Amino acid sequence: MSDPQPITNENILKILGIVLIEIRAADDLPTARMLADSFHNAPAMIARGADPQDTWASVLNIARRLEMERYVVSLLNHVQARQISSRAPTDT
């Protein structure tokens, strides 16, 4: 089994972009609030130079408490998979 990709601020910001779209499109206000609560500290942590691992741990701790951890982790997996596929060599 390979080591997971490291969490980067770029990953977190890409996930935040997805989350903002999800919040805007949410029909369910409680779900939108839980997403906002999960990520609301991330921009400030990134801006002050916190380690990305610490920022992600903060996001996950809140998401876990709100029972959204699986969804948040699925967003990370989605973003990382897109990065891998965009770096894959193409046959020409």
Side-chain angles (χ1 to χ4, degrees), residues 7 12 38 45 51-64 69:
I7 304 297
I12 296 168
S38 294
M45 292 179 76
D51 184 273
Q53 299 297 326
D54 293 337
T55 303
W56 187 245
S58 173
V59 169
L60 283 183
N61 285 335
I62 297 168
R64 185 176 304 118
E69 182 179 19

Side-chain angles (χ1 to χ4, degrees), residues 37-74:
D37 286 347
S38 294
F39 283 87
H40 79 274
N41 290 325
M45 292 179 76
I46 291 169
R48 75 169 187 258
D51 184 273
Q53 299 297 326
D54 293 337
T55 303
W56 187 245
S58 173
V59 169
L60 283 183
N61 285 335
I62 297 168
R64 185 176 304 118
R65 182 174 45 85
L66 298 172
E67 299 180 359
M68 296 199 75
E69 182 179 19
R70 291 180 80 193
Y71 178 69
V72 170
V73 169
S74 75

Side-chain angles (χ1 to χ4, degrees), residues 3-89:
D3 290 334
Q5 294 180 49
I7 304 297
T8 65
N9 285 333
E10 181 181 354
N11 294 139
I12 296 168
L13 291 172
K14 286 181 180 181
I15 294 166
L16 182 57
I18 294 168
V19 165
L20 291 173
I21 292 167
E22 291 290 324
I23 289 169
R24 190 172 67 195
D27 292 328
D28 179 26
L29 187 56
T31 299
R33 286 181 176 160
M34 287 188 291
L35 282 170
D37 286 347
S38 294
F39 283 87
H40 79 274
N41 290 325
M45 292 179 76
I46 291 169
R48 75 169 187 258
D51 184 273
Q53 299 297 326
D54 293 337
T55 303
W56 187 245
S58 173
V59 169
L60 283 183
N61 285 335
I62 297 168
R64 185 176 304 118
R65 182 174 45 85
L66 298 172
E67 299 180 359
M68 296 199 75
E69 182 179 19
R70 291 180 80 193
Y71 178 69
V72 170
V73 169
S74 75
L75 293 174
L76 174 64
N77 293 336
H78 171 75
V79 165
Q80 289 181 331
R82 289 188 70 194
Q83 286 177 332
I84 290 171
S85 67
S86 69
R87 288 187 296 225

